[in-house]
Amino acid sequence: MKTLKDLTVDNKTVLVRVDFNVPIDETGQVMDASRIEAVKPTIDYLRERNAKVVLLAHFGRPKGKVVDELRFKPIIPVVSEVLGCDVAYVQDCIGKEVEAAVAELPVGGVLLLENVRFYVAEKDNDPEFAKQLASLGDLYVNDAFGAAHRAHASTAGVADLLPHAAGLLMQREVEELTHIVENPAEPVVAIIGGSKISTKMNLINSLLPKVEYLLLGGALANTVLMAQNHKIGKSLVEEELSGTVKDLLSNKLRVPVDVVVAKEIKEDAEKRVVAVGKIEEDDYALDIGPDTVGIYSDCIKKAKTIIWNGPMGVFEMESFAMGTYHIAKVVGETDAYSVIGGGETVSAVKKVGLEDQISFISTGGGAMLEFLEGNEMPGIKALD
Ligand code: ADP
Ligand code: MG
């Protein structure tokens, strides 16, 4: 993989693919600017070396057409504040108007182009579209680790057409995660939670041979409990997968022994801690219980490497956040090398202010899972 030091950027126009797919609230305010902050070092590096920076990014799922709510316009002030400089913007990512804006860009200037996913050609990795994007710059840098598992025009196609390199964030993600996959300090303990086991089955399968323990929590543990013939009431489950899950059962796998249940998924719903086996027909299991936290903590304390993806419960509601909170605390307190990733997992750890205790926080959700599964990443391969 080529890195920034392989490029001479002085006076060059550098197309930089970034991940600005930030969470926004109902009023369009950016709720968490981490993804923008994460690419600042690369943009600073380029500006300090007299490059002109043209940013390419996607936002949401516009499905190949223009969606006004998914324009970058409202986030420009945030980008500008994080980068500490003016950020120019055009309401398109190819064409005459864009070419004019690029031509006007001063040395050290930053221009953000419109959502590349307004074009269906982006996801199709259409060669003509990639050519139009590539024509805007002299060099290409990819710093969008979060999109590196996709073979799109702005992540793979353009790289084939211009001298290219990984940005500093991409480089760090690849280095840290490669270390975890190839030579982690042992024992390794993995903690997997979240909503759907179907999205994490491949990860679980590829981690199992490498770990001492694999601790399951969140809704996805319900599917495993069901496969073990436990009653799980009205809890979120992927019933159709309980057969597949049976093949996965291994003595390394740990599932909850107790859970926090309620009759409604509501912040102020009355909650109870019950042993697995005592879940009633109209209960929802919404968090792991204290005995489970204790057992999981003992496993985590033995680890030299910890990999965590997926919250242990519905942490968005204070009432069901304790499991996730306690696990975060134990992970933070160990001396182990810890890696976390996943949109909700990262936001849960930040919510309790423990992000500084984690060795590496990946910016990739799906991309991190695919990397850890050992899948080929088109956006990274294109940087060879
Ligand atoms: P990540 O983004 O970290 O990979 P996921 O997207 O897989 O995590 O899952 C996160 C979601 O799972 C959270 O929004 C959380 O509310 C939900 N969740 C966790 N435990 C449960 C549960 N027991 N029942 C229902 N939803 C749950
Ligand atoms: Mg998620």
Side-chain angles (χ1 to χ4, degrees), residues 337-367:
Y337 176 84
S338 53
V339 173
I340 67 165
E344 269 84 21
T345 313
V346 174
S347 103
V349 170
K350 287 191 172 165
K351 204 169 155 190
V352 295
L354 291 169
E355 68 269 32
D356 292 343
Q357 320 260 38
I358 306 296
S359 313
F360 182 64
I361 298 184
S362 174
T363 54

Side-chain angles (χ1 to χ4, degrees), residues 193-196 199-200 217-220 222 235-236 260 265 284-288 309-317 324 341-347 365-366 369:
S195 54
K196 291 184 169 177
T199 62
K200 301 187 180 175
L220 61 76
N222 297 335
S235 309
L236 183 62
V260 180
I265 310 178
Y284 293 94
L286 298 171
D287 196 6
I288 57 173
N309 166 267
M312 297 290 100
V314 183
F315 74 96
E316 293 92 340
M317 297 181 195
T324 304
E344 269 84 21
T345 313
V346 174
S347 103
L369 300 186

Side-chain angles (χ1 to χ4, degrees), residues 65-137:
K65 55 183 191 325
V66 175
V67 175
D68 276 324
E69 294 74 41
L70 296 175
R71 289 194 181 279
F72 276 124
K73 192 169 191 259
I75 78 154
I76 297 283
V78 182
V79 179
S80 176
E81 194 190 319
V82 171
L83 298 182
C85 66
D86 285 341
V87 174
Y89 162 69
V90 233
Q91 296 220 340
D92 208 337
C93 63
I94 50 167
K96 286 272 171 295
E97 204 192 332
V98 177
E99 285 162 23
V102 173
E104 269 174 37
L105 199 62
V107 160
V110 179
L111 167 69
L112 174 59
L113 304 184
E114 190 57 278
N115 195 343
V116 286
R117 288 198 189 162
F118 286 174
Y119 289 91
V120 73
E122 159 67 2
K123 281 200 171 186
D124 293 346
N125 193 7
D126 177 77
E128 199 46 47
F129 182 67
K131 221 157 110 186
Q132 281 177 284
L133 291 175
S135 73
L136 299 168

Side-chain angles (χ1 to χ4, degrees), residues 74-239:
I75 78 154
I76 297 283
V78 182
V79 179
S80 176
E81 194 190 319
V82 171
L83 298 182
C85 66
D86 285 341
V87 174
Y89 162 69
V90 233
Q91 296 220 340
D92 208 337
C93 63
I94 50 167
K96 286 272 171 295
E97 204 192 332
V98 177
E99 285 162 23
V102 173
E104 269 174 37
L105 199 62
V107 160
V110 179
L111 167 69
L112 174 59
L113 304 184
E114 190 57 278
N115 195 343
V116 286
R117 288 198 189 162
F118 286 174
Y119 289 91
V120 73
E122 159 67 2
K123 281 200 171 186
D124 293 346
N125 193 7
D126 177 77
E128 199 46 47
F129 182 67
K131 221 157 110 186
Q132 281 177 284
L133 291 175
S135 73
L136 299 168
D138 306 309
L139 305 170
Y140 170 78
V141 168
N142 191 349
D143 219 14
F145 178 73
H149 54 318
R150 308 282 184 225
H152 293 170
S154 71
T155 60
V158 187
D160 293 337
L161 302 172
L162 292 174
H164 51 249
L168 299 170
L169 173 68
M170 179 74 92
Q171 191 185 343
R172 171 124 201 259
E173 291 270 8
V174 171
E175 283 168 4
E176 300 274 351
L177 297 179
T178 301
H179 171 70
I180 280 277
V181 173
E182 288 178 3
N183 52 356
E186 293 181 331
V188 180
V189 171
I191 310 161
I192 309 291
S195 54
K196 291 184 169 177
I197 199 159
S198 55
T199 62
K200 301 187 180 175
M201 198 67 113
N202 291 339
L203 178 70
I204 294 171
N205 276 318
S206 61
L207 286 176
L208 266 178
K210 301 177 185 166
V211 300
E212 185 79 13
Y213 303 110
L214 200 149
L215 317 174
L216 293 181
L220 61 76
N222 297 335
T223 306
V224 182
L225 291 173
M226 179 180 254
Q228 294 175 325
N229 298 320
H230 288 294
K231 295 208 161 57
I232 53 154
K234 285 159 73 178
S235 309
L236 183 62
V237 67
E238 290 176 284
E239 204 171 339

Side-chain angles (χ1 to χ4, degrees), residues 8-52:
T8 307
V9 303
D10 187 65
N11 252 301
K12 295 284 181 8
T13 300
V14 187
L15 290 178
V16 186
R17 177 58 159 99
V18 290
D19 181 1
F20 280 178
N21 198 19
V22 289
I24 50 165
D25 65 16
E26 314 79 56
T27 67
Q29 294 287 354
V30 175
M31 296 196 306
D32 178 6
S34 310
R35 283 183 165 160
I36 303 172
E37 286 154 13
V39 295
K40 180 172 158 57
T42 296
I43 296 172
D44 286 350
Y45 175 102
L46 295 170
R47 294 180 62 222
E48 282 159 15
R49 286 162 183 76
N50 299 320
K52 305 173 183 184

